[in-house]
Amino acid sequence: MKTYRSVLVGTGGIGEAHVRAAEASHGRVQLVAAADVDAARVQDFCQKFKVPAAYVDFDEMLRREKPDLVQIA
């Protein structure tokens, strides 16, 4: 079974639904990073949901993480 590396753009209210969707994939989608223009919000979000990496720069996140999927909230 292939595991897809996913990143999340936007960590506001709907971001949690994207985390839950990844969790419901039964290990097929791994949320590896999140990005938001609000540095404090993305840090808090990543800590709360155990997302390994937080970014304020979307382009940097894509370059570093090389995701298979991009979730936009």
Side-chain angles (χ1 to χ4, degrees):
M1 170 175 69
K2 179 172 175 52
T3 299
Y4 295 93
R5 293 173 46 80
S6 180
V7 296
L8 175 63
V9 179
T11 58
I14 198 71
E16 185 173 342
H18 287 268
V19 171
R20 301 293 173 232
E23 291 173 348
S25 75
H26 303 289
R28 299 208 59 205
V29 175
Q30 178 186 17
L31 188 56
V32 297
D36 198 293
V37 295
D38 184 324
R41 182 168 58 191
V42 72
Q43 288 292 336
D44 290 346
F45 182 90
C46 288
Q47 185 175 35
K48 179 179 179 180
F49 294 107
K50 297 178 178 54
V51 177
Y55 294 88
V56 292
D57 185 314
F58 172 73
D59 292 325
E60 179 184 1
M61 178 178 68
L62 291 180
R63 276 193 310 276
R64 288 186 179 198
E65 301 298 335
K66 297 177 177 45
D68 299 306
L69 303 170
V70 176
Q71 299 177 49
I72 301 175

